[in-house]
Amino acid sequence: MTDDPTRAAEAVPPARDLADIPAVEVVTRAAVMLMSAAAEKLGLSEADPDESPHRDLDEARRLITALAGLVTASAEYLGPHAGPVRDGLKTLQLAFREASAAPEEPGHGPGEKYTGPVW
């Protein structure tokens, strides 16, 4: 490690300019961020999700609904990424239903107004 700030700055790769990033990559990264945040709020990063200090189903609902809207609006542009992103969304929707004390009927869960009922 060096104390020279010029050398330290040279060691860090330059950030990509947003203009250079394809739209599909921006949308996919946003989807992955929403998926990761929803998984955390569902407690899925813990061995026992019911004991997770991060579990917050209201927050998870918001994140899953936002993800569903993004996926539905952009599915035609995601190409080969569309399937895995949709699968991730469905997995989160089902995990939400399982985590809920009073699960909603299919078609009424988070994001299902965009995706349709999830079984």
Side-chain angles (χ1 to χ4, degrees):
M1 188 98 166
T2 179
D3 291 332
D4 181 1
T6 306
R7 277 197 100 133
E10 290 172 2
V12 176
R16 288 173 61 188
D17 187 43
L18 282 176
D20 296 333
I21 302 173
V24 67
E25 187 175 334
V26 173
V27 173
T28 303
R29 283 185 184 191
V32 169
M33 181 177 284
L34 288 167
M35 279 188 221
S36 297
E40 284 290 332
K41 296 297 184 180
L42 288 170
L44 299 178
S45 63
E46 301 291 328
D48 182 358
D50 292 330
E51 299 298 319
S52 173
H54 304 293
R55 183 173 244 185
D56 185 333
L57 295 182
D58 288 334
E59 287 286 300
R61 173 186 295 281
R62 291 179 183 112
L63 291 162
I64 294 167
T65 300
L67 174 62
L70 176 65
V71 170
T72 300
S74 61
E76 68 181 290
Y77 307 114
L78 294 177
H81 303 284
V85 171
R86 271 190 244 141
D87 291 345
L89 169 58
K90 182 177 180 179
T91 298
L92 290 168
Q93 289 171 311
L94 292 172
F96 183 92
R97 182 170 287 124
E98 187 175 305
S100 297
E104 295 145 326
E105 292 293 318
H108 298 282
E112 292 183 38
K113 69 180 179 181
Y114 301 113
T115 63
V118 175
W119 308 94

